[in-house]
Each structure stands twice: as C-alpha cells, then as structure tokens.
C-alpha cells in the first residue's frame, strides 16, 4: 500500500524536483536515504515498493519525479528506469547515491540506458561528524 505525505519546504529544487512538481514517488528508499532527502515544497510524496509500481500505479498517481536508490538489494536504477519507461512515465528519475568515484561516467551510463527520461544522480552526503 503506497504511503502519501504532504511536505513543505523550499529545498525541493536542490534535489532536482524543479518548480511546479505536484507529486514525487519514492521507490524502496531505505530510512537513511529518505532522511537525507531535502523536504519537498508543497509536494505530495508517495512511497512504494519496486514491485508495486506498474502502469496502473503510474497512471493513478501521476508522479512527476521518481527517486530511487542507485543500487538496492533487489534492483538498481536501470531496472527502475526500464520499468518506468514500460509504464509510459516520461518525467524525472533521480538516482540517490553516496559519493561516487566517477559521477560523470555513472550519469552518462544512466542517461544512455534511460533515453526518454530526464535522469540525474543526487549525491547524498553523510551528516558531518560532531567532535565530542
């Protein structure tokens, strides 16, 4: 069952959501990734498992942006992109990742495989350690 949240903030644009986004879908995001996401201004946020997302789900909820982990335990962002394309999704796909050694190469590979989607990678930096 998808979870629907209503958020408020001005940080959504920094996550690549862009202006005018009404609905954001979070696919199988671990708690630590969800917590690291900026709040999404005036946006309905849906949470779903990878297996829940199909053509009917996309048609019913009409997300403009989808966030998913770059690599997960059961799928990776290329699987998400392929599924979204089969479902007729044409919006923004954002892969969430920690720091990568060659961000440009990974971004290029993702764009090569997900033609038809606006794809990018959001690098989540770990919280700064406090000196106690």
């Amino acid at each position: 069952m998808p979870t629907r949240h209503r958020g408020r903030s001005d940080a959504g644009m920094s996550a690549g959501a862009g202006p005018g986004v009404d609905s954001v879908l979070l696919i199988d995001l671990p708690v630590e990734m969800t917590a690291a996401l900026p709040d999404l201004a005036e946006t309905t946020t849906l949470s779903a498992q990878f297996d829940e997302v199909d053509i009917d789900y996309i048609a019913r909820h009409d997300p403009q942006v989808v966030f998913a982990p770059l690599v997960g335990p059961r799928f990776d962002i290329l699987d998400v992109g392929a599924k979204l394309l089969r479902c007729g999704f044409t919006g923004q796909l954002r892969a969430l990742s920690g720091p990568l050694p060659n961000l440009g190469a990974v971004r290029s590979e993702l764009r090569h495989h997900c033609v038809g989607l606006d794809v990018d990678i959001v690098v989540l930096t770990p919280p700064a350690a406090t000196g106690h």
Side-chain angles (χ1 to χ4, degrees), residues 55-73:
I55 194 165
D56 293 328
Y57 185 97
I58 295 297
R60 186 171 54 254
H61 297 290
D62 191 30
Q64 286 82 47
V65 182
V66 174
F67 287 98
L70 181 66
V71 178

Side-chain angles (χ1 to χ4, degrees), residues 57-131:
Y57 185 97
I58 295 297
R60 186 171 54 254
H61 297 290
D62 191 30
Q64 286 82 47
V65 182
V66 174
F67 287 98
L70 181 66
V71 178
R74 299 178 302 123
F75 62 89
D76 64 28
I77 198 67
L78 295 178
D79 298 320
V80 174
K83 179 180 261 199
L84 291 173
L85 286 166
R86 284 192 309 271
C87 292
F89 179 78
T90 58
Q92 299 175 31
L93 174 59
R94 298 298 182 254
L96 301 178
S97 175
L100 297 168
N102 192 340
L103 178 62
V106 177
R107 182 180 284 133
S108 178
E109 183 75 9
L110 178 59
R111 289 178 176 164
H112 173 77
H113 286 282
C114 296
V115 174
L117 297 177
D118 173 354
V119 295
D120 206 348
I121 299 171
V122 176
V123 176
L124 302 174
T125 54
T130 56

